[in-house]
Amino acid sequence: MFYNEQKKHVRTKKEILDDSGNVRKGCKIIKKGEVYERTLFTAKNKLFKQEHYLDEAKRFYTNLINLLIEDDKNKLHVFDRNGLYLATKKIGKNNPKAKQIKEDNEVRMQWNHEVDRALVSQVPEDEIRQIKQKWITERIRLSIDVFGKCPEKLAGIITTATAKLALLISKVLTAARELKNKLFHEALEKEYGSNAVIKADNTADIVIAPAKEAITEPEPPENTITVTIPKTEVVEQPKPQIPPRPVIPPEATAFPRLQKIKVTLDKHNNLIFEAERERTKLELELSDLKGLARLTKKKELETKIVTKTKEIRSLKAGLSGIARQHGFATVQDFYTAFYTAQRATDAYQKECAKWDEAYGEKATPKAETMHEKIRRYQEKADRQNDSQPHRNRDKGAR
């Protein structure tokens, strides 16, 4: 078998010889009896063609790389396609669809920023996932079935879903503010009511207190018989061994730091809420313009609305920036860590409270109140009077 420089089979030996009759460099001759075809690789394994294998390999090598990265801000993360966020596409060089991909990425980022704000506003993840499933995933599938693959329709679908999520956020924030105001007024009423009760208790103590001085110990009865009781040795019972105080878990140690980050996110979310209220006022003012004022103030109000919209977008983008600044890839990752630390802290505090009640300072006997002392003295005096009827008759005769 004769092969030329390109490793291609030729029919005769002359085709691989030079002018001197020697085999050219790079050509090869395989004699009879030698192996001229080899299968170095087996058939492809179907496992390597499946998507879950690719996801598993991505996560494995991402975690392996992150072991060598010390700073949490620089660590790599694998995007979760089944999560709440939408992935953006990379625009390569000389891509003819660069403009359309850029517009789609901007719409996707608006959805991601709205998801961040929904998480900060305490909207449940299940409701966000339902909106994504209903208004994005199902709408895209329906659009493909009806119109075929039309990438230009994606922006409208995502914009509608973003508006639905923004409406849900406004409802949640409005309900939360109403509940907060209601609890605040109830706390004020409870505080004033508790002050009145405290004053009444104080006056009752002042009136009852002299009765303690009027009670005197009864005199010992006449002709009493004294009985001596031999002393017995008191054997002290061994005190039960006190278990050690509960140790704070490692998840709860990070709770104070995470709580400060949450306060920062809440303040930033309040700024967004106030900016949206101002934009709504401007839009209502624009819609109410009539006559000559519509010609003079219309452009000014439209400019203010556009400026306020840009401000709101930058504020929403700042939520994810705060999370990344503290070492979290997304706001969702931060709240996952926050709720885990919160649950660990609550469990630790409950264990400490149980330990204090059993073995701590709270286990000491409760102090006796004034009413309980008076009741105890009164019962003691009644018992002694009942046991000495002859003494009472003598006193009555005198």
Side-chain angles (χ1 to χ4, degrees):
M1 303 290 291
F2 308 105
Y3 294 88
N4 60 9
E5 293 88 350
Q6 287 78 29
K7 309 298 181 184
K8 290 185 178 180
H9 176 259
V10 294
R11 296 184 63 188
T12 61
K13 185 177 180 180
K14 293 181 180 180
E15 297 180 30
I16 62 173
L17 298 179
D18 56 8
D19 298 336
S20 303
N22 298 322
V23 179
R24 294 195 304 268
K25 187 178 181 180
C27 299
K28 185 170 62 172
I29 299 175
I30 298 176
K31 298 179 181 180
K32 285 184 178 181
E34 294 182 359
V35 178
Y36 62 90
E37 287 184 359
R38 292 180 181 179
T39 304
L40 300 179
F41 300 98
T42 58
K44 288 185 178 180
N45 190 348
K46 294 182 179 180
L47 172 65
F48 303 133
K49 295 184 178 181
Q50 297 176 1
E51 292 184 359
H52 69 84
Y53 170 77
L54 180 60
D55 293 338
E56 184 180 353
K58 281 182 179 180
R59 296 183 186 280
F60 174 76
Y61 284 105
T62 301
N63 296 332
L64 190 63
I65 294 171
N66 288 337
L67 292 176
L68 304 176
I69 301 175
E70 297 180 356
D71 191 359
D72 294 339
K73 299 178 183 177
N74 299 327
K75 289 189 175 182
L76 303 177
H77 301 275
V78 180
F79 184 80
D80 185 10
R81 290 184 296 178
N82 298 323
L84 305 178
Y85 299 97
L86 295 176
T88 55
K89 292 185 178 180
K90 182 179 179 181
I91 303 175
K93 293 182 180 179
N94 302 323
N95 192 334
K97 298 182 179 180
K99 183 178 180 181
Q100 182 182 351
I101 294 175
K102 186 178 180 180
E103 293 176 355
D104 289 346
N105 287 342
E106 290 178 358
V107 176
R108 291 167 185 256
M109 289 304 299
Q110 290 179 11
W111 165 264
N112 293 341
H113 296 331
E114 206 67 37
V115 169
D116 289 339
R117 194 187 172 210
L119 292 172
V120 176
S121 303
Q122 307 300 320
V123 178
E125 292 186 9
D126 293 338
E127 296 187 10
I128 302 173
R129 192 171 283 105
Q130 288 176 5
I131 291 178
K132 181 185 176 184
Q133 178 69 23
K134 180 179 179 180
W135 295 96
I136 297 180
T137 306
E138 294 180 1
R139 291 298 177 95
I140 290 175
R141 189 181 295 112
L142 180 63
S143 176
I144 293 174
D145 294 340
V146 176
F147 304 103
K149 290 186 178 181
C150 298
E152 61 274 7
K153 295 183 178 295
L154 178 63
I157 294 173
I158 297 177
T159 302
T160 304
T162 305
K164 292 291 182 181
L165 184 58
L167 181 62
L168 177 62
I169 293 170
S170 63
K171 290 181 180 179
V172 171
L173 288 176
T174 304
R177 286 177 176 261
E178 291 177 355
L179 180 62
K180 185 177 179 181
N181 293 333
K182 182 179 178 181
L183 294 176
F184 177 73
H185 290 300
E186 289 179 356
L188 287 179
E189 293 177 0
K190 185 177 181 180
E191 183 179 357
Y192 290 134
S194 61
N195 289 337
V197 172
I198 291 171
K199 290 181 179 179
D201 291 343
N202 292 337
T203 54
D205 290 345
I206 293 172
V207 173
I208 297 173
K212 180 181 177 181
E213 300 178 358
I215 298 174
T216 58
E217 293 291 336
E219 298 178 358
E222 297 178 357
N223 301 326
T224 57
I225 301 172
T226 60
V227 179
T228 58
I229 301 173
K231 294 183 179 180
T232 58
E233 295 182 358
V234 179
V235 180
E236 295 183 357
Q237 297 292 335
K239 295 182 179 179
Q241 187 176 2
I242 298 176
R245 188 178 179 84
V247 181
I248 184 170
E251 293 84 1
T253 54
F255 182 69
R257 182 179 70 88
L258 297 176
Q259 201 169 19
K260 291 180 181 179
I261 300 173
K262 184 179 181 301
V263 170
T264 305
L265 289 172
D266 291 339
K267 290 181 179 179
H268 201 85
N269 191 28
N270 290 332
L271 294 177
I272 298 173
F273 185 76
E274 295 299 331
E276 287 181 341
R277 289 181 61 183
E278 292 177 4
R279 185 181 63 178
T280 304
K281 290 180 181 178
L282 293 173
E283 291 174 349
L284 291 174
E285 186 177 355
L286 178 62
S287 62
D288 293 339
L289 290 178
K290 295 180 180 178
L292 185 62
R294 188 171 183 81
L295 299 176
T296 56
K297 286 188 175 183
K298 180 180 179 181
K299 191 167 185 179
E300 180 184 356
L301 291 175
E302 288 178 348
T303 305
K304 289 182 178 180
I305 291 172
V306 172
T307 304
K308 189 62 67 175
T309 302
K310 292 181 179 178
E311 180 185 351
I312 292 171
R313 287 184 180 178
S314 62
L315 287 173
K316 289 180 179 179
L319 292 173
S320 58
I322 293 172
R324 286 194 298 269
Q325 183 180 358
H326 293 87
F328 296 94
T330 60
V331 176
Q332 185 182 12
D333 292 342
F334 163 74
Y335 273 97
T336 301
F338 174 78
Y339 290 133
T340 302
Q342 189 179 38
R343 288 191 293 269
T345 303
D346 293 341
Y348 168 71
Q349 290 177 352
K350 289 180 180 178
E351 291 179 0
C352 289
K354 291 180 180 178
W355 190 92
D356 289 336
E357 289 180 0
Y359 309 104
E361 296 178 355
K362 294 183 179 180
T364 55
K366 188 177 179 181
E368 193 176 14
T369 61
M370 179 67 67
H371 298 287
E372 292 174 351
K373 287 181 180 179
I374 295 173
R375 190 182 300 108
R376 181 167 58 84
Y377 285 132
Q378 188 67 38
E379 291 176 354
K380 186 176 180 180
D382 293 340
R383 286 196 302 270
Q384 290 179 352
N385 290 334
D386 294 339
S387 62
Q388 300 173 13
H390 62 279
R391 183 179 177 86
N392 293 335
R393 286 196 301 271
D394 294 341
K395 286 183 178 180
R398 290 176 187 175

